[in-house]
Amino acid sequence: FSGFALPDDYKEQLPESLVAVVGYPHRENGSKKKYESIYLMCQPVDASLPAQYHELNQAEILDFLRKNKMADRHVPEWISAGDETKLQQLSSILKTWMDKQANRDGRAIINDLFNSTKPIRKESKLTVDVDKKFQMENFDLIVWEYISK
């Protein structure tokens, strides 16, 4: 993990946020198996605020990170100290994001089902139980950044 403080020109536009890259499905330690899917998320730490960057436009998230890649590393002390309560709040941000992904992927699968002219095979992505897929234990947290004010 890492983090940086928002530059002045972003402080009004972007709230304190968590950026994370997660891989699906979970791999056992030492496994070199490729992930089927890699997801990039950027969510505000304050759950009452709307996300500024959405996964549908991952280029915006990557552009933001690219522009700030040389920023001095800054991680709040409570992260470095391992404050269990606050780290649990970060985990809940990821969980909330996963719940939203399950809803979005479920809608996409239904649309694919009704718009497809191909027969559905049992191993098709259309038969995946989306609610079961988007569980924390099914993903690996590859890397995360804490974006501070």
Side-chain angles (χ1 to χ4, degrees):
F1 70 91
S2 191
F4 60 91
L6 281 170
D8 290 337
D9 55 333
Y10 279 98
K11 286 186 179 178
E12 296 299 317
Q13 302 172 30
L14 190 67
E16 207 157 312
S17 299
L18 177 66
V19 177
V21 176
V22 294
Y24 173 83
H26 166 71
R27 299 188 312 198
E28 296 302 321
N29 285 342
S31 172
K32 302 287 186 206
K33 185 178 176 184
K34 288 186 176 184
Y35 291 110
E36 289 176 25
S37 305
I38 302 263
Y39 296 89
L40 175 63
M41 62 144 263
C42 181
Q43 296 291 301
V45 173
D46 181 347
S48 68
L49 298 173
Q52 301 297 309
Y53 296 119
H54 298 283
E55 289 72 30
L56 295 175
N57 195 353
Q58 293 184 354
E60 284 184 342
I61 301 171
L62 293 172
D63 186 52
F64 169 72
L65 293 174
R66 192 176 302 112
K67 286 178 182 175
N68 293 286
K69 71 181 177 183
M70 300 306 286
D72 290 337
R73 184 175 191 272
H74 173 80
V75 178
E77 177 57 34
W78 57 265
I79 290 176
S80 296
D83 183 313
E84 198 66 34
T85 303
K86 290 189 176 189
L87 290 174
Q88 205 52 14
Q89 290 172 336
L90 295 183
S91 181
S92 72
I93 293 169
L94 192 54
K95 173 70 174 114
T96 299
W97 174 84
M98 284 192 180
D99 291 344
K100 290 178 186 175
Q101 292 305 300
N103 289 334
R104 195 179 88 198
D105 270 22
R107 285 191 302 273
I109 289 170
I110 289 170
N111 285 337
D112 287 351
L113 179 64
F114 285 108
N115 294 323
S116 178
T117 57
K118 297 178 184 177
I120 299 170
R121 298 186 322 264
K122 187 174 185 175
E123 65 277 2
S124 166
K125 75 171 192 164
L126 298 176
T127 61
V128 171
D129 186 336
V130 178
D131 286 335
K132 288 183 182 172
K133 175 182 177 180
F134 285 98
Q135 300 295 317
M136 296 281 275
E137 64 271 8
N138 295 334
F139 286 81
D140 289 335
L141 180 58
I142 298 169
V143 65
W144 59 277
E145 293 262 350
Y146 189 88
I147 315 301
S148 304
K149 282 281 190 177

